[in-house]
Each structure stands twice: as C-alpha cells, then as structure tokens.
Amino acid sequence: MSEHANLLRRHRAVMPSWMALNYSDPIEIVGGKGARVTDAEGNGYLDFFTGILTNMLGYDVPEVRDAVERQLATGVVHTSTGYLLRGQVELAEKIARLSGIPDAKVFFANSGTEANETALLLAAYARRSGQVLAMRQSYHGRSFAAAGVTGNRAWRNLSLSPLDVHFLHGADRHLPQFAGMSDGQYVDACTRDLRHVLATATGGDVAALIAEPIQGVGGFTMPPDGLFAAYKDVLDEFGILFVSDEVQTGWGRTGQGFWGIDGHGVTPDMMTFAKGLGNGFTIGGVVARRELMDALPALGISTFGGNPISMAAGNATLDYVLDHDLQANAARQGATIIGGLRAAAERLPIAADVRGKGLMFAVELADPRTGEPSPPLAAALMEAARERGLLIGKGGLYGNVVRMAPPLNLTDAEAAEGLGILIASLEAVSAAAGAGGRRGSSPGEEEAR
C-alpha cells in the first residue's frame, strides 16, 4: 500500500466524512519552499491554491520563519489577552492605519469564521437587531451564525439560524432575468431589489449587510465594481452597517486595491480578515470604527486569538507584503495569467468563463454541448493539472469552477509555468470530453468542417 493510500485509510477511520479531500487519490504535503511543495511520495508541485489562499507568501519564507523563531526563543508561546501583547498592538496599529476606517480598532481571533461571528455580534448589538442582509452564493464560515449568512446550500447543514437573514442579488448575472444587461443596468436592478427587500421582507431596523467583494467558495464570482457603493448609499439611508468580508480578498491580492472592497470606492464600517495574514499561522480578526468595537457591555477575551506566535508571523508577513509592493506584483502576474487563460478559452468550449482580479482567478467549466455547469469537468481539470505538477482548487455554486490564488510573490517564470500547465490541462480535458477545438461545436460539426 502506498504512503498516501495508507494515510487515507487511517484518515477515513477517524475523521468525519464531510471533511472533503482534493483529488481521487488524496496527497499529503510534507515539504515546501517558495511556491513549490513536495508530497509524501516525492512528487513536486507548483502550488496555485496555497492552503486555500492562506500561504500568501508561499512556503518557508525566511523573514516569517525568523520572526517566529525569535518569538519561540523567548519561551513565550502563549500568555492570553489578559496581558499586554506587544506584537498584537503593533499589528493592530498597522491594520488600523491600512484599513482606511476612521478611528479604527482591531480585535484578533483565530479564523475567518470567528472574525465574521464577531462582526455580526458588533452589528447586532449596535443596531439592536438580528436582521442581516447577505449575498446569494456567499460563504462566511462553518459556525452557526456564519453559516446562517452563507448563501450556498452546499455549505449549510440547517435552515435554522440565530439571525433573520435576507439574501441579495449581486453575483448572479448568469440568471436569465439579468441576461444582456450592462454593468450599470445590473447594478441598478440589484439596487432596486435591495430597496424592495427592505420594504417587504424586513421589519424595523436591519443590523448589517455582510458581503465578500469577491466570493471565495462561490467560485470567485463578483459584482461589477460600484455595486457596493450603490448598496451603501441605500444602507446609509436606513443606518444599516456594511461589513466587508476580506478573509480571501485582503492584503493586495486583487491587485486593484489593498482590500477587495477598494474596487467599489467604499469604506465599510467593519472589515473581517484571516487566512493570508499569518502565512499559515492561525489568525483572524475584525477592524471596525471605535464606537462599534467599544460598545459591547459584556467582558470578552480570545484565549488564542492574537497569540505571540501568530502575531510574530502576521507582522512579518504584512511587512513583507508592503516592503516588496506585492499588490503591484499581484496585478502584473494576474493580468498575464488571466489574459492567457481568456485567450485559450476562446478555442476551448468547456471553458464557459474566465474571471478574476490579480492573483485571484477562476475558470468555470460547462458541458460543451448543453452549456450546463459541469462539476465532472472541473474535477477532471483538477486531476489533469495535478498530473502535470500544478495544485489548484475548486468551488462555485454548482461545483463546476476551478479557482486559483498563487502566492503574492509569484515570479514571472512561475506565472508562465502555471499558465502553461493550466492551458495544457484544459486542452487535455477538452479533448477527452470530445469538445474539439472550437467553442460551441459538436464532434460531428467539427468533422463536417
């Protein structure tokens, strides 16, 4: 029995069946350097999914490793938030400054789920309301309230929620009622629908809208730039708070701004963050206006949130991003890869859409004959890319989207290599599907030509 097969057998015996594993033959990653990893059987890969957007600088980054080792050398791995934590204060100062939120304060937690729970609590208390607006196709975490504001049935176990949630349009332009609309027309239609939801589905004060500027699990779907500005104009009329979930879009990944919401020209009332900031170390948090953050009357702590090790990693990671202007690198490398994928998609009918910003991009797979979403083709593309030495992810409302988020310090050579593997993999899957080389044509039509 192979190393991977043996570990998979043990995994299935003790881990829950709902913990999804990538690939028909799952792998164990045992080593990494830069943008590359090695599995337990000695195979090497270029990693374009980075632990679900978490290893933002890749693997074994000297600046991050050294910062963590310096903290370990002090012997203080953990105290608690009952003591002053220098690294926590230093990182909060940087995030507050970078947030653009006036008079901002920061609270650290352990994950994006915890961060979103905290933001929802702050909003509900400030507005004395359990009514929340969220986006269709969204994902905000696996806990009770976070799942309640998740607009994707595949990630919700119960219809029950501690919140009264109403879901909005904004990332669903594939629906027939929006067919043929320009960006402006779509934004106008969604904004009118928001007003209608407020007039018909809600009662009294609404606490907040929580939204991802680019939907992660939703398959990197996104509204047109400016939609959240239009939404916020309406929200402000009613005093409704706006929470931008930046767990996947923060720290310059989109290339368009340091935060995903920057593309909409809006400063939210709160932002949540996690994942990439720790470059693999556990971190999450909320940055919000002082009056929102300070308003809670009960005491609160986070036992592990903001711990000295994670703060050392977070400070080093953020400093590296800023010192090396990785937002600009994300914009440049993303333009190369997205442009290359779009050019290839013109001749590959299984590629229904290529979308993204910066180093956050996706390919949507569809049956070349019917145009319907095709999860099997997405799974096949993941396998084809892995066989050629590239790790990618999957998502989308229908499970038919492959999504990618390479390290922000991706080099020109790595971008070209990854693009080449992606195009070769798309070609192989397209050929296996009998799709030919021209969009929308059947094998019979190709032969007739």
Side-chain angles (χ1 to χ4, degrees):
M1 183 178 291
S2 71
E3 286 286 334
H4 289 149
N6 183 52
L7 187 59
L8 177 60
R9 176 186 59 81
R10 294 166 58 193
H11 172 99
R12 286 175 171 163
V14 295
M15 308 300 288
S17 60
W18 41 260
M19 282 180 59
L21 292 166
N22 293 332
Y23 308 112
S24 57
D25 296 313
I27 63 175
E28 178 193 13
I29 294 175
V30 297
K33 184 73 176 178
R36 300 182 186 276
V37 296
T38 305
D39 71 20
E41 296 180 358
N43 302 300
Y45 306 93
L46 182 62
D47 188 356
F48 264 29
F49 204 43
T50 58
I52 316 180
L53 294 87
T54 300
N55 298 303
M56 186 164 66
L57 306 180
Y59 300 84
D60 194 24
V61 181
E63 290 85 345
V64 178
R65 184 185 64 241
D66 291 348
V68 170
E69 289 178 347
R70 284 194 300 271
Q71 183 59 46
L72 284 170
T74 69
V76 180
V77 173
H78 174 73
T79 57
S80 77
T81 53
Y83 298 90
L84 290 170
L85 292 163
R86 184 174 299 274
Q88 188 179 88
V89 172
E90 291 172 347
L91 186 55
E93 289 171 340
K94 295 170 188 175
I95 293 170
R97 174 176 55 82
L98 291 164
S99 72
I101 295 174
D103 202 19
K105 283 194 169 186
V106 180
F107 176 77
F108 290 106
N110 297 292
S111 67
T113 293
E114 284 191 31
N116 286 329
E117 287 278 344
T118 303
L120 291 167
L121 172 63
L122 293 173
Y125 184 80
R127 296 281 293 158
R128 302 298 198 274
S129 171
Q131 296 184 95
V132 174
L133 305 172
M135 305 297 289
R136 296 183 181 197
Q137 304 178 186
S138 60
Y139 176 81
H140 296 287
R142 60 174 174 76
S143 62
F144 200 19
V149 293
T150 288
N152 185 327
R153 187 173 61 185
W155 294 89
R156 295 184 66 176
N157 290 298
L158 297 168
S159 60
L160 301 175
S161 171
L163 300 168
D164 182 9
V165 185
H166 305 281
F167 292 98
L168 305 178
H169 296 294
D172 50 9
R173 294 181 73 170
H174 62 283
L175 296 177
Q177 61 263 43
F178 302 125
M181 286 187 177
S182 67
D183 285 355
Q185 290 169 331
Y186 179 66
V187 168
D188 185 56
C190 292
T191 305
R192 289 199 306 270
D193 182 72
L194 167 60
R195 289 190 178 277
H196 194 254
V197 168
L198 293 173
T200 61
T202 64
D205 293 335
V206 174
L209 165 65
I210 184 169
E212 304 157 275
I214 299 176
Q215 295 181 334
V217 168
F220 292 175
T221 49
M222 69 190 85
D225 285 352
L227 178 122
F228 289 123
Y231 273 6
K232 195 167 188 309
D233 285 343
V234 178
L235 300 179
D236 288 348
E237 290 179 29
F238 295 88
I240 300 169
L241 301 172
F242 178 38
V243 181
S244 183
D245 179 341
E246 299 278 352
V247 169
Q248 297 197 29
T249 50
W251 323 116
R253 176 163 290 282
T254 69
Q256 187 179 15
F258 199 70
W259 307 98
I261 199 62
D262 290 348
H264 295 264
V266 167
T267 300
D269 299 288
M270 292 184 255
M271 290 192 290
T272 58
F273 57 84
K275 289 191 180 290
L277 178 60
N279 203 53
F281 287 86
T282 302
I283 198 167
V286 183
V287 54
R289 298 200 317 267
R290 176 185 297 266
E291 67 268 23
L292 295 172
M293 190 70 81
D294 283 348
L296 297 182
L299 297 175
I301 63 169
S302 180
T303 300
F304 292 106
N307 71 81
I309 300 298
S310 292
M311 295 298 97
N315 273 296
T317 300
L318 186 52
D319 288 347
Y320 190 100
V321 168
L322 297 171
D323 292 345
H324 293 81
D325 194 10
L326 294 190
Q327 179 183 324
N329 190 60
R332 184 164 53 88
Q333 305 296 3
T336 297
I337 297 172
I338 294 170
L341 288 172
R342 283 177 174 159
E346 287 299 316
R347 57 183 173 79
L348 297 169
I350 64 170
D353 188 28
V354 175
R355 56 178 173 262
K357 289 182 180 181
L359 287 175
M360 190 174 186
F361 49 89
V363 180
E364 184 167 343
L365 284 301
D367 185 294
R369 295 167 180 81
T370 66
E372 291 298 309
S374 179
L377 286 176
L381 182 56
M382 282 190 69
E383 297 287 352
R386 184 191 61 79
E387 290 169 5
R388 290 164 174 78
L390 181 71
L391 301 183
I392 58 179
K394 192 170 67 170
L397 182 64
Y398 308 107
N400 67 314
V401 178
V402 293
R403 56 190 183 119
M404 292 147 281
L408 297 190
N409 49 352
L410 193 74
T411 66
D412 292 350
E414 290 163 345
E417 179 185 352
L419 175 60
I421 293 174
L422 285 168
I423 292 174
S425 300
L426 278 165
E427 290 171 342
V429 172
S430 184
R438 180 175 290 180
R439 181 175 295 278
S441 60
S442 69
E445 289 171 331
E446 279 295 319
E447 291 170 4
R449 290 189 180 98

